[in-house]
Amino acid sequence: MTQPNETILLAGLGLIGGSIALAIKKEHPGKRIIGFDVSEEQARAAQKLGVIDAPAASFLEGVKEASTVFLAAPVEQTLHMLDELAASGIKKKLLITDVGSTKQKVVSHAEKVLPDDYRFIGGHPMAGSHKSGVAAAKDFLFENAFYILTPSGSAGKEAVASLKDLLKGTNAKFVEMSPAEHDAVTSVISHFPHIVAASLVHQTVKFEDQYPLVKRFAAGGFRDITRIASSSPAMWRDILLHNKDKILERFDEWKQELDRIQSFVENEDADGLFEFFRQAKEYRDGLPLRQKGAIPSFYDLYVDVPDHPGVISEITAILADEQISITNIRIIETREDINGVLRISFQSDEDRKRAEKCIQTRAKYETFYAD
């Protein structure tokens, strides 16, 4: 298990790295956490916010002080840091983990280049936020989220137990699996959906010259189902390149699925079409509600409001009085099956439930979810 006076290095002080640091501090206040980031501004902000105890002069200088290292950087940068570690000549027992969304290449590279004294455990906390940077870090970000661990051959049960103990404050659900299994699962429920969302946006762009109203109409449900297309282009470029083989398999399956539904339409197969949508609805309706998964959840509350000046300020004033933070607020002008509503987004389901209660009680407006 981890020692009380252990020093931990966080290499990468964004949302994920910062949230891990805060969760460790909550459960293990005796641990010393130092941080390194390529952005000195982020490192200064992390210290000022109390996320880390001190900045490291450099990545390798931080490694020299630490017994546990979190590589909380994009997957491509993680590979570079593994190479730096391998070439550093630093000889001591070291527990190393990462937080990347792909695992096979990272774990394989770690096994190939790292010395025997370095124990590497691939990690992927399946939680995030629609905000970025260390200022958005929360100690509860990973609460009830799945935290995937993919230990390398050198890790061993003791190292895995030590890491789980260190991350106890995340209140995450730890799941161990092989790197190959992880990449296959995430290609289906995270990586490929991002491709589909971005493709739908590209298709809409092509229609805009011919049908200028497309963009206005897309402000409703279309905007919602393509939300994840707003993710970091650099991050998704690297993820697809790192998970190339699994993504190519998904492309083949997707083409077959499109051919199947296309044949139903061409042949006017009413029964086939009905079953296509029925089976999808049945499976989707059976998914766990408000449970964190590979794609960050959207904690949205919809409020039926009258069309008069000041209604938005009225709602925000109520939420401010209750000290409930919101991440986004906007009026939905065009949305199928939902007419004339205010959509408010929150950081957690708990905040959403509190907001629902106070808006119903104080403003007497009807509220609902759209899950």
Side-chain angles (χ1 to χ4, degrees), residues 32 109 131 158 172 191 198 201-202 209 215 228 233 255 288 294 299 312 314 317 321 325:
R32 178 172 179 262
H109 194 69
K131 292 186 175 183
E158 184 180 342
H191 304 168
V201 174
H202 281 289
D209 287 342
K215 193 169 188 177
I228 55 177
K255 289 172 185 175
Y299 301 108
I312 295 179
E314 177 189 4
D321 285 347
S325 297

Side-chain angles (χ1 to χ4, degrees), residues 310-368:
V311 67
I312 295 179
S313 60
E314 177 189 4
I315 297 293
T316 55
I318 291 172
L319 297 177
D321 285 347
E322 300 291 334
Q323 295 187 322
I324 302 173
S325 297
I326 64 174
T327 60
N328 196 10
I329 185 169
R330 95 183 166 89
I331 297 173
I332 309 293
E333 295 178 343
T334 306
R335 182 184 170 93
E336 293 179 12
D337 302 321
I338 304 175
N339 298 312
V341 298
L342 192 66
R343 186 180 72 197
I344 313 172
S345 303
F346 300 91
Q347 293 181 352
S348 66
D349 192 42
E350 181 183 356
D351 284 348
R352 176 167 63 171
K353 289 176 180 176
R354 289 174 56 214
E356 179 182 31
K357 183 177 180 180
C358 71
I359 290 172
Q360 288 178 343
T361 302
R362 294 179 56 180
K364 309 298 183 184
Y365 296 146
E366 182 181 349
T367 62
F368 55 93

Side-chain angles (χ1 to χ4, degrees), residues 74-77 79 102-106 183 236-247:
V75 286
E76 196 62 36
Q77 192 176 340
L79 294 181
T102 59
K103 295 273 75 82
Q104 276 186 283
K105 276 194 174 182
V106 171
D183 285 2
W236 282 101
R237 174 199 61 200
D238 292 348
I239 286 174
L240 298 194
L241 292 176
H242 274 250
N243 205 15
K244 173 186 172 182
D245 293 342
K246 298 301 181 185
I247 292 297

Side-chain angles (χ1 to χ4, degrees), residues 117-130:
D117 282 347
Y118 292 5
R119 298 162 295 165
F120 184 83
I121 301 172
H124 179 196
M126 285 189 170
S129 171
H130 313 297

Side-chain angles (χ1 to χ4, degrees), residues 203-214:
Q203 184 181 46
T204 303
V205 171
K206 292 174 182 176
F207 267 77
E208 195 171 353
D209 287 342
Q210 187 177 358
Y211 302 104
L213 287 174
V214 161

Side-chain angles (χ1 to χ4, degrees), residues 117 200 274 289 307 316:
D117 282 347
L200 289 172
F274 179 85
L289 285 173
D307 183 13
T316 55

Side-chain angles (χ1 to χ4, degrees), residues 225 277-289 370-371:
I225 65 172
F277 288 110
R278 185 196 66 77
Q279 291 171 12
K281 171 179 168 53
E282 184 177 288
Y283 185 85
R284 196 272 180 185
D285 290 351
L287 295 176
L289 285 173
D371 294 315

